[in-house]
Amino acid sequence: MEQYEPDRPTPARPEPAGRGRRGGGAVLGRRSLLRAGAGGVFAAGALGALSACGIPAAGKTQGGTATEDHSAQEKTVNFSNWPEYIDVDDSGKHHPTLEAFTRRTGIQVKYTEDINDNNEFFGKIKPQLAAGQDTGRDIIVLTDWLAARVIRLGWVQKLDPANLPHAFARLAEQFRSPEWDPGHAYSYPWQGVSTVIAYNKKALDGIEVRSVSDLLDNARLKGRVGLLSEMRDSMGMTLLDMGKDPAKVTADDYDAAVARLQKAVDKGQIRRFTGNDYTSDLTKGDLAACLAWGGDVVQLKADNPDVGYLIPEAGYMVSTDCMLIPNKARHKTNAERLIDFFYEPEQAAALAAYANYVTPVDGVKPYLAKIDEAAADNPLIIPDKATAARSHAFRALGEKEEAAYEEKFAKLTGA
């Protein structure tokens, strides 16, 4: 096997500044799809199905299982990701970073955009993982709550730090210590997803919005406020507004936050709970203000000067989409090398310029500035220390907690 030389990065070909990645259209990336949280179907149905089909409950197994690695003989890696979540060239047919990886290593990347929903994808690969079979994938990208679950189930492989020198050195501080994967033994972030307050200046017409309380209590906004259908985002932002830490949420805290939102629902303050479809209502002004995902806001602002955002003084929520290597993957070393490749700042910059979400890689700013100066200065893409310090994550939930929390949230939203 050829010697891997991580100190000799190959610069990715920069994309032009701006965001017209596909014919100048309003391409909304990973969150263009309804961002599936551990929704009611998963909590009430799939969790029960795990036990019913003989799969051990989460938390009762330890780590993944080692398997024979064919990386040296088979110069390939199979990568499953979400649509519109990696850099493309102007034709929309080629991925410059993946091609740079292949040129350097000789490893061909089979890149498949076959993850449209966390629950759906989990259902697709669950039977193979539970049976100890190869899924045909070497890297999968899952949102942190589901990444935590497959780690606890023992369905992903422990990473070899020797193959991840950039990832170990360059991982941004705010992503370094997830409680569900201490030391990132099994996962590394692909991108971070921030939840903030977005607004339409014209629709606000001078109304001041600075907090979640303003969204929920200002009568002048009645029927023109949107919250997210992702439990951890809407409940997390509400908990922060109430002075509670989502990383330490108790059942009583959660119930108090549900009651707070229920009051707003009952008086008609909230127009609706949405997935990514809030973007249309916000740009048209049907929503004056809403909870929103940072990557969407960056892109919407580029097209509509009336769209703005703010980070409440109480803080904001951040989740991560994470790269993991499933059990029985045939090309573990190749997969680790690709993971590490995206932690080289120039590759991370090319990705951030396209995706517009929070980069988990330190040292990206000067490289991103060469591609897009505005993106390099945007705290929703590269948070400064003060912004990063205000970020919060929802704590990992046990199986029964998750089912209970999701059931209460589903009743609140009418799901």
Side-chain angles (χ1 to χ4, degrees), residues 268-401:
Q269 187 75 5
I270 299 171
R271 182 181 181 90
R272 62 192 182 108
F273 290 80
T274 74
N276 183 262
D277 47 333
Y278 67 80
T279 56
S280 176
D281 285 349
L282 183 64
T283 54
K284 290 187 297 185
D286 292 339
L287 286 175
C290 63
L291 296 185
W293 291 305
D296 290 345
V297 176
V298 172
Q299 296 173 7
L300 291 174
K301 279 174 59 65
D303 291 335
N304 188 333
D306 289 329
V307 173
Y309 79 94
L310 65 96
I311 296 174
E313 188 63 33
Y316 65 106
M317 297 300 294
V318 169
S319 58
T320 52
D321 289 329
C322 303
M323 295 177 281
L324 306 102
I325 301 176
N327 285 353
K328 298 294 183 178
R330 289 181 62 86
H331 313 108
K332 181 174 183 287
T333 298
N334 292 347
E336 289 167 338
R337 293 176 66 178
L338 183 56
I339 291 171
D340 193 62
F341 180 78
F342 278 104
Y343 275 79
E344 294 174 4
E346 49 270 83
Q347 318 306 339
L351 181 58
Y354 182 83
N356 292 156
Y357 286 99
V358 182
T359 177
V361 182
D362 268 340
V364 168
K365 188 167 185 174
Y367 297 93
L368 183 55
K370 295 177 181 179
I371 305 172
D372 187 338
E373 289 186 8
D377 290 333
N378 194 320
L380 293 181
I381 298 175
I382 303 180
D384 55 32
K385 289 185 178 180
T387 302
R390 294 164 65 190
S391 68
H392 298 264
F394 209 100
R395 73 171 173 85
L397 299 175
E399 181 178 336
K400 292 182 179 179
E401 278 185 312

Side-chain angles (χ1 to χ4, degrees), residues 138-205:
D138 300 305
I139 300 176
I140 56 176
V141 178
L142 305 177
T143 304
D144 46 22
W145 62 265
L146 185 53
R149 177 160 296 280
V150 296
I151 289 170
R152 293 197 303 267
L153 285 166
W155 288 352
V156 292
Q157 298 187 56
K158 193 170 186 177
L159 302 173
D160 183 351
N163 293 326
L164 297 159
H166 290 100
F168 180 81
R170 293 284 188 175
L171 181 61
E173 182 63 33
Q174 74 178 113
F175 297 102
R176 280 197 171 270
S177 302
E179 62 169 323
W180 47 270
D181 186 16
H184 286 284
Y186 296 92
S187 70
Y188 267 95
W190 174 251
Q191 296 284 273
V193 183
S194 55
T195 301
V196 298
I197 294 176
Y199 56 84
N200 184 305
K201 297 175 189 176
K202 186 179 292 186
L204 281 180
D205 193 24

Side-chain angles (χ1 to χ4, degrees), residues 2-37:
E2 77 278 18
Q3 180 64 37
Y4 181 32
E5 298 183 33
D7 57 332
R8 289 169 43 191
T10 301
R13 287 173 287 178
E15 291 195 86
R19 56 175 288 276
R21 308 295 192 253
R22 295 275 177 107
V27 177
L28 294 178
R30 151 80 163 87
R31 291 306 194 271
S32 295
L33 304 151
L34 173 62
R35 181 169 180 250

Side-chain angles (χ1 to χ4, degrees), residues 22 51 211:
R22 295 275 177 107
S51 297
S211 67

Side-chain angles (χ1 to χ4, degrees), residues 20-252:
R21 308 295 192 253
R22 295 275 177 107
V27 177
L28 294 178
R30 151 80 163 87
R31 291 306 194 271
S32 295
L33 304 151
L34 173 62
R35 181 169 180 250
V41 173
F42 182 73
L47 288 177
L50 289 177
S51 297
C53 64
I55 300 171
K60 293 186 179 179
T61 59
Q62 295 184 357
T65 56
T67 188
E68 184 178 358
D69 189 356
H70 299 268
S71 293
Q73 298 78 32
E74 300 174 5
K75 300 297 185 181
T76 188
V77 60
N78 299 305
F79 187 177
S80 281
N81 205 348
W82 299 73
E84 299 289 354
Y85 213 20
I86 195 171
D87 59 311
V88 298
D89 65 5
D90 289 340
S91 73
K93 297 179 180 179
H94 300 281
H95 304 297
T97 50
L98 296 182
E99 292 174 356
F101 176 77
T102 298
R103 287 196 302 271
R104 184 195 302 179
T105 65
I107 298 169
Q108 298 290 328
V109 182
K110 181 181 179 182
Y111 186 78
T112 307
E113 296 181 333
D114 62 344
I115 306 177
N116 293 302
D117 176 291
N118 279 297
N119 296 338
E120 177 187 56
F121 185 71
F122 180 68
K124 185 188 302 184
I125 64 176
K126 179 178 67 177
Q128 294 162 301
L129 291 173
Q133 298 172 352
D134 180 11
T135 65
R137 301 167 176 87
D138 300 305
I139 300 176
I140 56 176
V141 178
L142 305 177
T143 304
D144 46 22
W145 62 265
L146 185 53
R149 177 160 296 280
V150 296
I151 289 170
R152 293 197 303 267
L153 285 166
W155 288 352
V156 292
Q157 298 187 56
K158 193 170 186 177
L159 302 173
D160 183 351
N163 293 326
L164 297 159
H166 290 100
F168 180 81
R170 293 284 188 175
L171 181 61
E173 182 63 33
Q174 74 178 113
F175 297 102
R176 280 197 171 270
S177 302
E179 62 169 323
W180 47 270
D181 186 16
H184 286 284
Y186 296 92
S187 70
Y188 267 95
W190 174 251
Q191 296 284 273
V193 183
S194 55
T195 301
V196 298
I197 294 176
Y199 56 84
N200 184 305
K201 297 175 189 176
K202 186 179 292 186
L204 281 180
D205 193 24
I207 299 172
E208 183 172 307
V209 171
R210 292 292 175 190
S211 67
V212 171
S213 287
D214 290 336
L215 298 183
L216 301 181
D217 298 333
N218 192 320
R220 293 174 63 192
L221 295 176
K222 182 177 179 179
R224 298 192 296 142
V225 170
L227 299 187
L228 293 167
S229 55
E230 161 57 40
M231 180 272 284
R232 287 161 176 79
D233 290 336
S234 287
M235 294 303 296
M237 292 292 281
T238 303
L239 286 162
L240 288 172
D241 189 72
M242 297 170 65
K244 303 294 183 180
D245 185 353
K248 301 177 182 178
V249 61
T250 66
D252 288 344

